[in-house]
Amino acid sequence: MLSITLEGKKEIIGIWIGENREVNTVLTSLRGCSLWLGRLTLLNELKNRGVEDVLIFAIDGLNGFKEAIEAVYPKAEILLLAVM
């Protein structure tokens, strides 16, 4: 995950690696944002590491991600990108 600070500095704040089979199983067996809000999720991990506020999230259309962002970072603007 890439972040850009208010000063314009780019920082890598995380890299997560998982098996496609595992991710597909989780995505098909869980509904909506429960994938992102359950257990230690990506967004909760960022929050726990001290990321208090996010100005903009640029995301693809992954099911439930928008709702999870709104729950964890309610002031963030969400830009939906077209992935081709």
Side-chain angles (χ1 to χ4, degrees):
M1 179 176 285
L2 175 71
S3 75
I4 302 175
T5 67
L6 292 175
E7 295 79 25
K9 182 180 174 188
K10 295 178 184 175
E11 298 178 348
I12 300 294
I13 59 173
I15 298 174
W16 294 266
I17 300 173
E19 294 181 30
N20 288 339
R21 191 180 87 199
E22 178 182 325
V23 170
N24 288 336
T25 301
V26 171
L27 285 174
T28 57
S29 65
L30 295 176
R31 293 184 186 171
C33 67
S34 62
L35 170 65
W36 299 101
L37 294 177
R39 301 183 273 148
L40 291 176
T41 65
L42 179 137
L43 294 173
N44 285 325
E45 181 180 331
L46 292 178
K47 192 86 162 180
N48 291 337
R49 288 172 44 198
V51 178
E52 295 177 14
D53 194 19
V54 176
L55 182 61
I56 300 170
F57 277 95
I59 62 170
D60 62 10
L62 188 59
N63 192 21
F65 199 31
K66 179 180 179 285
E67 292 81 4
I69 291 169
E70 290 169 343
V72 178
Y73 294 102
K75 295 181 181 178
E77 185 171 334
I78 299 171
L79 301 178
L80 185 61
L81 304 176
V83 179
M84 297 182 185

